[in-house]
């Protein structure tokens, strides 16, 4: 058994720029999104979920 | 699965560590001087092929594969288009679909035949996305 290293969740947990309102008042919901290079975030400012690429 | 694309020295020389795609790890990379290739300055039939490739979108996101930086080269010799491209990662499940879309787009540009070759060197990273591509990704709800 080996764990999928892609679930390690490197990357910023807060402060990712929201693509809708450009606020950086954001938190990471989950380290992985629908693709291996995407993570799930939530914007506290405009209250929208979004993904980060890269 | 065909492994034809993996033949040749380029693959061995690349920094890519594994030919298996059981797990793929994404890490951000640096910008390249030569990439992304956008067909700037292309003329004649090559221009038409580039224009056709701009119409092909990533299956997951409404962004042109050219703006994503996936096209590494277009050459038209003796009415045959040769397109070199990459994928965002080797295990991409949409591989065959994208390759077919690219071939069809090139054919629609008016060449007699089109050959699409995959390359993983240099490895793609998000820095290869063009400014237009980044704008489209943001509109789609992706932070880049």
């Amino acid at each position: 058994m080996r764990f999928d290293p892609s679930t390690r969740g490197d990357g910023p947990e807060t402060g990712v720029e929201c693509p809708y309102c450009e606020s950086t008042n954001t938190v990471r919901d989950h380290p992985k999104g629908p693709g291996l290079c995407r993570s799930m975030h939530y914007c506290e400012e405009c209250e929208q979920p979004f993904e980060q690429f890269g | 699965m065909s492994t034809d694309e993996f033949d040749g020295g380029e693959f061995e020389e690349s920094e890519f560590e594994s030919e298996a795609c059981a797990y793929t790890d994404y890490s951000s990379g640096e910008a390249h001087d030569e990439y992304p290739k956008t067909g700037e300055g292309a003329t004649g039939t090559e221009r038409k092929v580039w224009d056709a490739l701009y119409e092909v979108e990533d299956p997951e996101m409404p962004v042109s594969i050219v703006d994503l930086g996936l096209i590494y080269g277009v050459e038209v010799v003796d009415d045959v288009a040769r397109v070199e491209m990459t994928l965002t990662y080797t295990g991409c499940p949409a591989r065959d679909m994208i390759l077919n879309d690219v071939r069809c787009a090139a054919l629609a540009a008016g060449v007699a035949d089109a050959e699409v070759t995959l390359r993983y060197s240099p490895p793609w990273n998000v820095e290869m996305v063009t400014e237009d591509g980044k704008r489209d990704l943001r509109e789609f709800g992706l932070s880049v």
Side-chain angles (χ1 to χ4, degrees):
Chain A
M1 170 81 185
R2 65 178 172 143
F3 291 99
D4 179 348
S6 73
T7 58
R8 209 172 43 218
D10 288 347
E13 294 186 19
T14 56
V16 171
E17 188 180 288
C18 171
Y20 304 113
C21 72
E22 298 179 7
S23 166
T24 51
N25 181 18
T26 64
V27 289
R28 189 178 72 186
D29 275 343
H30 197 274
K32 285 296 152 189
L36 288 170
C37 52
R38 287 145 74 177
S39 53
M40 305 299 299
H41 298 253
Y42 182 78
C43 178
E44 304 280 14
E45 204 64 41
C46 66
E47 302 185 341
Q48 292 294 320
F50 67 93
E51 295 167 28
Q52 190 207 10
F53 201 157
Chain B
M1 166 180 141
S2 160
T3 55
D4 292 346
E5 289 88 354
F6 297 119
D7 289 340
E10 233 161 11
F11 180 72
E12 287 164 25
E13 287 164 19
S14 80
E15 293 171 11
F16 189 69
E17 289 169 355
S18 166
E19 38 190 312
C21 55
Y23 300 139
T24 33
D25 197 16
Y26 180 83
S27 57
S28 53
E30 290 175 6
H32 290 262
D33 291 340
E34 289 183 48
Y35 299 90
K37 304 251 187 187
T38 56
E40 203 183 327
T43 54
T45 314
E46 285 178 13
R47 179 71 260 159
K48 287 183 187 165
V49 174
W50 276 107
D51 288 344
L53 294 179
Y54 266 102
E55 301 295 319
V56 180
E57 290 185 346
D58 181 278
E60 279 187 289
M61 300 166 278
V63 182
S64 161
I65 55 165
V66 180
D67 281 325
L68 273 181
L70 297 184
I71 304 298
Y72 281 2
V74 170
E75 202 183 28
V76 178
V77 180
D78 297 332
D79 215 19
V80 175
R82 292 196 169 84
V83 180
E84 285 199 324
M85 66 175 297
T86 193
L87 297 170
T88 55
Y89 65 107
T90 54
C92 179
R95 182 178 175 278
D96 292 344
M97 179 184 170
I98 297 176
L99 292 184
N100 188 51
D101 284 355
V102 168
R103 184 164 183 273
C104 291
L107 286 172
V111 291
D113 199 7
E115 295 168 9
V116 186
T117 316
L118 274 178
R119 260 172 58 188
Y120 293 107
S121 173
W124 180 89
N125 69 65
V126 79
E127 295 303 321
M128 289 192 187
V129 180
T130 66
E131 287 308 310
D132 283 350
K134 285 178 180 167
R135 186 201 59 217
D136 290 347
L137 287 172
R138 285 190 193 107
E139 278 177 16
F140 179 58
L142 264 162
S143 177
V144 285

